[in-house]
Amino acid sequence: MTARSQAGAGELLELVRSGRATTRGALQQATGLSRATVGQRLDRLFRAGWLREGAGGPVGSPLGGRPSITLEFDGGHAVVLAADLDTRHARVALLSLTGEIHAEHGGTLAIEDGPDAVLGELGRWFAELLEKAGHRPEEVCGIGLAVPGPVDSETGRVVQPPIMPGWDGYDIRGRLARAFSEHTGGAEVPVMVDNDANLMAYGEQRTGHPDCSAFVLVKVSTGIGAGVVVGGSLYRGIDGGAGDLGHIRVPEGAQALCRCGSYGCLAAVASGGAVARRLAEAGVPAASGSDVRALLAAGHPEAVGLAREAGRMVGEVLATVVTLLNPGVLMIAGDLAGTPFLTGVRELLYQRALPRSTAHLDIVTSRLGERAGLVGAGALVVEHLYAPDRAEERLRALGV
């Protein structure tokens, strides 16, 4: 089968969205399609409201003439809802298709209350967010959800999550779609679910480091997890278990019992929760990673010392990660992502990793902060819904 017969409207949309071909002439050249066929397929995208004409591009001929009209993805024809769950808190946002956050809300939501209650509450938050932002449920094309556990991307179900009791194997997609419909009165929409560190990495890489072909984000909060973006795509492993750094065994944790039931895990001695526990044992009021973050912001000396020590333990593990993956950017995020922790990471990482592995490595902190997971979740939905094959299905369903 030739490129002429293969390239449908979905492929043309992908070329425009990626910036590889943004004029009719460029689309003809990229696909081998005739001018008439390109016009017919673009017409479907215009009728769906997915594309629009932008400003004229530069004149291609030295003899002058009319400039080519550029084509643009219309990021305003629909909106996306996103949610980011932590163990005790959650954030929700309404985003454009190009990733701008139009409205958001955060509040207390305990993941240990179980999936039915938590996802039902998210449905209520979504309804309030839509009303606040002045959008109708019919404008929502999909929902993205970040969760603090390993996720099988094929099913959207968490797999034996250490800090999500009652969630193992639960139908998150179905329940959240129903909760959205119940609270907004709109039809059910597609739901995408992924690990929080994965989606933070996806959001940060796409917005701040789009040219980095190997990007690693490490989230250090209640637990410790990593998101890896290679060649612009998330690397999840066989069933979503990639990046679970918190359960690598370290000598310092030999006597420490982890929430997974094992002894010696990195998360048991170097996570925000572990630092909070050590502070509490020393008489400093701290019950969670967020409490540690507040103490670090205030310059509390014991919190600073323990955060630096935790950074050294994580840095030793990251020396192996950096040697294996050779990333261009290593980003530290989460409750402990500050100067003391980062200093500890640098100390051990540069000491243990080969100079060849760190010669072109940038070690940075999060740019998007608490919004990273929301931006990544929104991007995941858009990439799924507007991928060529899925776009073709949706265009047929729209009757265009």
Side-chain angles (χ1 to χ4, degrees), residues 85 115-116 118-120 122-123 126 141-147 150-159 164 167-182 187-195 199 236 239-240 377 380-381 384-385 390:
L85 288 178
D116 187 64
V118 169
L119 298 174
L122 287 182
F126 284 150
C141 64
I143 297 170
L145 175 64
V147 298
V151 177
D152 183 336
S153 61
E154 292 297 317
T155 65
R157 298 174 187 243
V158 292
V159 182
M164 299 178 68
W167 290 72
D168 186 23
Y170 186 85
D171 181 17
I172 296 175
R173 289 176 178 172
R175 177 66 181 106
L176 189 53
R178 291 192 301 275
F180 168 80
S181 179
E182 290 164 3
E188 293 185 11
V189 297
V191 175
M192 303 294 292
V193 186
D194 211 325
N195 170 262
L199 293 180
R236 299 182 176 91
D239 61 2
L380 187 72
V381 172
H384 171 71
L385 292 180
R390 182 72 174 125

Coordinates of all heavy atoms in Angstrom, one line a residue, residues 85 115-116 118-120 122-123 126 141-147 150-159 164 167-182 187-195 199 236 239-240 377 380-381 384-385 390:
L85 N -3.8 12.7 42.2 CA -4.0 12.2 43.5 C -2.7 12.0 44.3 O -1.8 11.4 43.8 CB -4.7 10.9 43.5 CG -6.2 10.9 43.0 CD1 -6.7 9.4 43.0 CD2 -7.0 11.7 44.0
P115 N -11.3 3.7 46.3 CA -11.5 4.2 45.0 C -12.9 4.7 44.7 O -13.1 5.8 44.1 CB -11.2 3.1 44.0 CG -11.3 1.8 44.9 CD -10.9 2.3 46.2
D116 N -13.9 4.0 45.3 CA -15.3 4.5 45.0 C -15.6 5.9 45.6 O -16.1 6.7 44.9 CB -16.3 3.5 45.6 CG -17.7 3.8 45.2 OD1 -18.0 3.7 44.0 OD2 -18.5 4.1 46.1
V118 N -13.3 8.2 46.6 CA -12.3 9.2 46.1 C -12.7 9.6 44.7 O -12.8 10.8 44.4 CB -10.9 8.7 46.1 CG1 -10.0 9.6 45.4 CG2 -10.4 8.5 47.6
L119 N -13.0 8.6 43.8 CA -13.3 9.0 42.4 C -14.7 9.7 42.3 O -14.9 10.5 41.5 CB -13.3 7.7 41.6 CG -11.9 7.0 41.5 CD1 -12.0 5.7 40.8 CD2 -10.9 7.9 40.8
G120 N -15.6 9.3 43.2 CA -16.9 10.0 43.3 C -16.7 11.5 43.6 O -17.3 12.3 43.1
L122 N -14.0 13.2 43.1 CA -13.4 13.9 42.0 C -14.5 14.3 41.0 O -14.4 15.4 40.4 CB -12.3 13.0 41.3 CG -11.0 12.8 42.1 CD1 -10.1 11.9 41.2 CD2 -10.3 14.1 42.4
G123 N -15.5 13.5 40.8 CA -16.5 13.8 39.9 C -17.2 15.1 40.3 O -17.6 16.0 39.5
F126 N -15.0 18.1 39.6 CA -15.0 18.4 38.2 C -16.2 19.2 37.8 O -16.1 20.2 37.0 CB -15.0 17.1 37.3 CG -13.7 16.4 37.2 CD1 -13.6 15.0 37.1 CD2 -12.5 17.1 37.3 CE1 -12.4 14.3 37.0 CE2 -11.3 16.4 37.2 CZ -11.2 15.1 37.1
C141 N -13.6 16.6 26.3 CA -13.3 15.4 25.4 C -12.7 14.2 26.2 O -12.7 13.1 25.6 CB -12.4 15.9 24.3 SG -10.8 16.4 24.7
G142 N -12.1 14.5 27.4 CA -11.5 13.4 28.1 C -11.0 13.8 29.4 O -10.9 15.0 29.8
I143 N -10.6 12.8 30.3 CA -10.1 13.1 31.6 C -8.8 12.3 31.8 O -8.7 11.1 31.4 CB -11.2 12.6 32.7 CG1 -12.5 13.3 32.6 CG2 -10.6 12.7 34.1 CD1 -13.6 12.7 33.4
G144 N -7.8 13.0 32.4 CA -6.6 12.3 32.7 C -6.4 12.3 34.2 O -6.7 13.2 34.9
L145 N -5.9 11.2 34.8 CA -5.7 11.0 36.2 C -4.4 10.4 36.5 O -3.9 9.4 36.0 CB -6.8 10.0 36.7 CG -6.7 9.6 38.2 CD1 -6.9 10.8 39.1 CD2 -7.7 8.5 38.5
A146 N -3.7 11.1 37.5 CA -2.4 10.7 38.0 C -2.6 10.1 39.3 O -3.2 10.7 40.2 CB -1.4 11.9 38.1
V147 N -2.0 8.9 39.5 CA -2.2 8.2 40.8 C -0.8 7.8 41.3 O 0.1 7.5 40.6 CB -3.1 6.9 40.7 CG1 -4.5 7.3 40.3 CG2 -2.5 5.9 39.7
P150 N 1.8 2.0 40.6 CA 2.1 1.5 39.3 C 0.8 1.2 38.6 O -0.2 0.7 39.1 CB 2.9 0.2 39.5 CG 2.5 -0.2 40.9 CD 2.3 1.1 41.7
V151 N 0.8 1.6 37.3 CA -0.5 1.4 36.5 C -0.2 0.6 35.2 O 0.8 0.9 34.5 CB -1.0 2.8 36.1 CG1 -2.2 2.7 35.2 CG2 -1.4 3.7 37.3
D152 N -1.1 -0.3 35.0 CA -1.0 -1.1 33.7 C -1.7 -0.2 32.7 O -2.9 0.1 32.7 CB -1.8 -2.4 33.8 CG -1.8 -3.2 32.5 OD1 -1.6 -2.6 31.4 OD2 -1.9 -4.4 32.6
S153 N -0.9 0.4 31.7 CA -1.5 1.4 30.8 C -2.5 0.8 29.9 O -3.4 1.5 29.3 CB -0.3 2.0 30.0 OG 0.3 1.0 29.2
E154 N -2.5 -0.5 29.6 CA -3.5 -1.1 28.8 C -4.9 -1.1 29.4 O -5.9 -0.9 28.7 CB -3.1 -2.6 28.4 CG -1.9 -2.7 27.6 CD -2.1 -2.0 26.2 OE1 -3.2 -2.3 25.6 OE2 -1.2 -1.3 25.7
T155 N -5.0 -1.3 30.7 CA -6.3 -1.4 31.4 C -6.6 -0.2 32.3 O -7.7 0.0 32.6 CB -6.3 -2.7 32.3 OG1 -5.3 -2.5 33.4 CG2 -6.0 -3.9 31.6
G156 N -5.6 0.6 32.6 CA -5.8 1.8 33.4 C -6.0 1.4 34.9 O -6.4 2.2 35.7
R157 N -5.6 0.2 35.3 CA -5.8 -0.3 36.6 C -4.5 -0.3 37.4 O -3.4 -0.7 36.8 CB -6.4 -1.7 36.7 CG -7.8 -1.8 36.0 CD -8.3 -3.2 35.9 NE -9.6 -3.2 35.2 CZ -10.7 -3.6 35.7 NH1 -10.8 -4.0 36.9 NH2 -11.8 -3.6 34.9
V158 N -4.5 0.0 38.7 CA -3.2 0.0 39.4 C -2.9 -1.4 39.8 O -3.8 -2.3 40.0 CB -3.3 0.9 40.7 CG1 -3.4 2.4 40.3 CG2 -4.5 0.5 41.6
V159 N -1.6 -1.7 39.9 CA -1.1 -3.1 40.1 C -0.4 -3.1 41.4 O 0.7 -2.6 41.5 CB -0.2 -3.5 38.9 CG1 0.2 -5.0 39.2 CG2 -0.9 -3.4 37.6
M164 N -1.8 2.5 48.2 CA -3.2 2.7 47.8 C -4.1 1.5 48.2 O -4.5 0.8 47.3 CB -3.3 2.9 46.3 CG -2.5 4.1 45.8 SD -2.5 4.3 43.9 CE -4.3 4.7 43.7
W167 N -7.2 -0.4 46.1 CA -7.3 0.1 44.7 C -6.8 -1.0 43.7 O -6.9 -0.8 42.5 CB -6.4 1.3 44.6 CG -7.0 2.6 45.2 CD1 -7.0 2.9 46.5 CD2 -7.5 3.7 44.5 NE1 -7.6 4.1 46.7 CE2 -7.9 4.7 45.5 CE3 -7.7 4.0 43.2 CZ2 -8.5 5.9 45.2 CZ3 -8.3 5.2 42.8 CH2 -8.7 6.2 43.8
D168 N -6.1 -2.0 44.2 CA -5.5 -3.0 43.3 C -6.5 -3.6 42.4 O -7.5 -4.2 42.8 CB -4.9 -4.1 44.2 CG -4.1 -5.1 43.3 OD1 -3.7 -4.7 42.2 OD2 -3.9 -6.2 43.8
G169 N -6.3 -3.4 41.1 CA -7.2 -4.0 40.1 C -8.5 -3.3 39.9 O -9.4 -3.8 39.1
Y170 N -8.8 -2.2 40.6 CA -10.1 -1.6 40.5 C -10.3 -0.9 39.1 O -9.3 -0.3 38.6 CB -10.2 -0.5 41.6 CG -11.5 0.1 41.7 CD1 -12.5 -0.4 42.5 CD2 -11.8 1.3 41.1 CE1 -13.8 0.2 42.6 CE2 -13.0 2.0 41.2 CZ -14.0 1.4 42.0 OH -15.3 2.0 42.1
D171 N -11.5 -0.9 38.6 CA -11.8 -0.2 37.3 C -11.9 1.3 37.5 O -13.0 1.9 37.6 CB -13.1 -0.8 36.8 CG -13.5 -0.2 35.4 OD1 -12.6 0.4 34.8 OD2 -14.7 -0.3 35.1
I172 N -10.8 1.9 37.5 CA -10.7 3.4 37.7 C -11.3 4.1 36.6 O -12.1 5.1 36.8 CB -9.2 3.8 37.9 CG1 -8.6 3.2 39.2 CG2 -9.1 5.3 38.0 CD1 -7.2 3.5 39.4
R173 N -11.0 3.7 35.4 CA -11.6 4.4 34.2 C -13.1 4.4 34.2 O -13.7 5.5 34.0 CB -11.1 3.7 32.9 CG -9.6 3.9 32.6 CD -9.3 3.1 31.4 NE -7.9 3.3 31.0 CZ -7.3 2.6 30.0 NH1 -8.0 1.6 29.4 NH2 -6.0 2.8 29.7
G174 N -13.7 3.3 34.5 CA -15.2 3.2 34.4 C -15.8 4.0 35.5 O -16.8 4.7 35.3
R175 N -15.2 3.9 36.8 CA -15.8 4.6 37.9 C -15.7 6.1 37.7 O -16.7 6.9 38.0 CB -15.1 4.2 39.2 CG -15.6 5.0 40.4 CD -17.1 4.7 40.7 NE -17.6 5.4 41.9 CZ -18.4 6.4 41.8 NH1 -18.9 6.9 40.6 NH2 -18.8 7.0 42.9
L176 N -14.6 6.6 37.2 CA -14.4 8.1 37.1 C -15.3 8.6 36.0 O -15.8 9.7 36.1 CB -12.9 8.4 36.9 CG -12.6 9.9 36.9 CD1 -13.0 10.6 38.2 CD2 -11.1 10.1 36.8
A177 N -15.4 7.8 34.9 CA -16.3 8.3 33.8 C -17.7 8.4 34.3 O -18.4 9.3 34.0 CB -16.2 7.3 32.6
R178 N -18.2 7.4 35.1 CA -19.5 7.5 35.7 C -19.7 8.6 36.6 O -20.7 9.3 36.7 CB -19.9 6.2 36.4 CG -20.0 5.0 35.5 CD -20.7 3.8 36.2 NE -19.9 3.3 37.3 CZ -18.9 2.5 37.3 NH1 -18.5 2.0 36.1 NH2 -18.3 2.1 38.4
A179 N -18.7 8.9 37.5 CA -18.7 10.0 38.4 C -18.8 11.3 37.7 O -19.6 12.2 38.1 CB -17.5 10.0 39.3
F180 N -18.1 11.5 36.6 CA -18.2 12.7 35.8 C -19.6 12.9 35.3 O -20.2 14.0 35.4 CB -17.2 12.7 34.7 CG -17.4 13.7 33.6 CD1 -17.0 15.0 33.8 CD2 -18.1 13.4 32.4 CE1 -17.2 16.0 32.9 CE2 -18.3 14.4 31.5 CZ -17.8 15.7 31.7
S181 N -20.2 11.8 34.7 CA -21.5 11.9 34.2 C -22.6 12.2 35.3 O -23.5 13.0 35.1 CB -21.8 10.6 33.4 OG -23.1 10.6 32.9
E182 N -22.4 11.5 36.4 CA -23.4 11.6 37.5 C -23.4 13.1 38.0 O -24.5 13.6 38.3 CB -23.1 10.7 38.6 CG -23.3 9.2 38.3 CD -22.6 8.3 39.3 OE1 -22.0 8.8 40.2 OE2 -22.6 7.1 39.0
A187 N -22.4 13.3 29.1 CA -22.2 11.9 28.7 C -20.8 11.4 29.3 O -19.9 12.3 29.6 CB -22.2 11.7 27.2
E188 N -20.6 10.1 29.5 CA -19.3 9.6 29.9 C -18.3 10.0 28.8 O -18.5 9.9 27.6 CB -19.4 8.1 30.2 CG -20.3 7.8 31.3 CD -20.2 6.3 31.7 OE1 -19.4 5.6 31.1 OE2 -21.1 5.9 32.5
V189 N -17.0 10.2 29.3 CA -16.0 10.6 28.4 C -14.8 9.6 28.6 O -14.7 9.0 29.7 CB -15.5 12.0 28.5 CG1 -16.6 13.0 28.2 CG2 -15.0 12.3 30.0
P190 N -13.9 9.5 27.7 CA -12.7 8.6 27.9 C -11.8 9.1 29.1 O -11.7 10.3 29.3 CB -11.9 8.7 26.6 CG -12.9 9.2 25.6 CD -13.9 10.1 26.3
V191 N -11.3 8.1 29.8 CA -10.5 8.4 31.0 C -9.1 7.7 30.8 O -9.1 6.5 30.4 CB -11.1 7.9 32.3 CG1 -10.2 8.1 33.5 CG2 -12.4 8.6 32.5
M192 N -8.0 8.4 31.0 CA -6.7 7.9 30.9 C -6.1 8.0 32.3 O -6.2 9.0 33.0 CB -5.8 8.7 29.9 CG -6.4 8.8 28.5 SD -6.4 7.2 27.7 CE -4.6 6.9 27.5
V193 N -5.4 6.9 32.7 CA -4.8 6.8 34.0 C -3.3 6.4 33.9 O -3.0 5.6 33.1 CB -5.5 5.7 34.9 CG1 -5.0 5.8 36.3 CG2 -7.0 5.9 34.9
D194 N -2.5 7.1 34.7 CA -1.1 6.7 34.7 C -0.5 7.1 36.1 O -1.1 7.8 36.8 CB -0.3 7.4 33.6 CG 0.9 6.5 33.1 OD1 1.5 5.8 33.9 OD2 1.2 6.6 31.9
N195 N 0.7 6.6 36.3 CA 1.5 6.9 37.5 C 1.8 8.4 37.6 O 2.1 9.0 36.6 CB 2.7 6.0 37.5 CG 3.7 6.4 38.6 OD1 4.6 7.1 38.4 ND2 3.4 5.9 39.8
L199 N 3.5 11.0 34.8 CA 2.8 12.2 34.2 C 3.5 13.5 34.5 O 3.5 14.4 33.7 CB 1.3 12.2 34.6 CG 0.5 11.0 34.1 CD1 -0.9 11.1 34.6 CD2 0.6 11.0 32.6
R236 N 7.3 2.8 30.3 CA 6.6 2.3 31.4 C 7.0 0.9 31.8 O 6.6 0.4 32.9 CB 5.1 2.2 31.1 CG 4.5 3.6 30.8 CD 3.0 3.4 30.5 NE 2.3 4.7 30.3 CZ 2.1 5.2 29.1 NH1 2.6 4.6 28.0 NH2 1.5 6.4 29.0
D239 N 4.5 -3.8 32.4 CA 3.2 -3.6 33.0 C 3.1 -2.4 33.9 O 2.3 -2.4 34.8 CB 2.7 -4.9 33.7 CG 3.6 -5.2 34.9 OD1 4.6 -4.4 35.2 OD2 3.4 -6.2 35.6
G240 N 3.9 -1.4 33.6 CA 3.7 -0.1 34.3 C 4.6 0.0 35.6 O 4.6 0.9 36.3
A377 N -1.1 14.8 32.7 CA -2.3 14.1 32.5 C -3.2 14.6 31.4 O -3.7 13.9 30.6 CB -3.2 14.1 33.8
L380 N -1.5 13.6 28.1 CA -1.7 12.1 27.8 C -3.1 11.9 27.1 O -3.2 11.2 26.2 CB -1.7 11.4 29.1 CG -1.7 9.8 29.0 CD1 -0.4 9.3 28.4 CD2 -2.1 9.2 30.3
V381 N -4.1 12.6 27.6 CA -5.4 12.5 27.0 C -5.4 13.0 25.6 O -5.9 12.4 24.7 CB -6.5 13.3 27.8 CG1 -7.8 13.4 27.1 CG2 -6.7 12.7 29.2
H384 N -3.6 10.7 23.2 CA -4.5 9.5 22.9 C -5.6 9.9 21.9 O -5.8 9.2 20.9 CB -5.0 9.0 24.2 CG -6.0 7.9 24.0 ND1 -5.7 6.7 23.5 CD2 -7.4 7.9 24.2 CE1 -6.8 5.9 23.4 NE2 -7.8 6.7 23.8
L385 N -6.3 10.9 22.2 CA -7.5 11.2 21.4 C -7.2 11.7 20.0 O -8.1 11.5 19.1 CB -8.4 12.2 22.1 CG -9.1 11.8 23.4 CD1 -9.9 12.9 24.1 CD2 -9.9 10.5 23.2
R390 N -7.0 6.9 16.3 CA -8.1 7.3 17.1 C -8.8 8.5 16.6 O -10.0 8.6 16.6 CB -7.6 7.6 18.6 CG -8.6 8.0 19.5 CD -9.5 6.8 19.9 NE -10.4 7.2 21.0 CZ -11.7 7.0 20.9 NH1 -12.3 6.5 19.9 NH2 -12.5 7.4 21.9

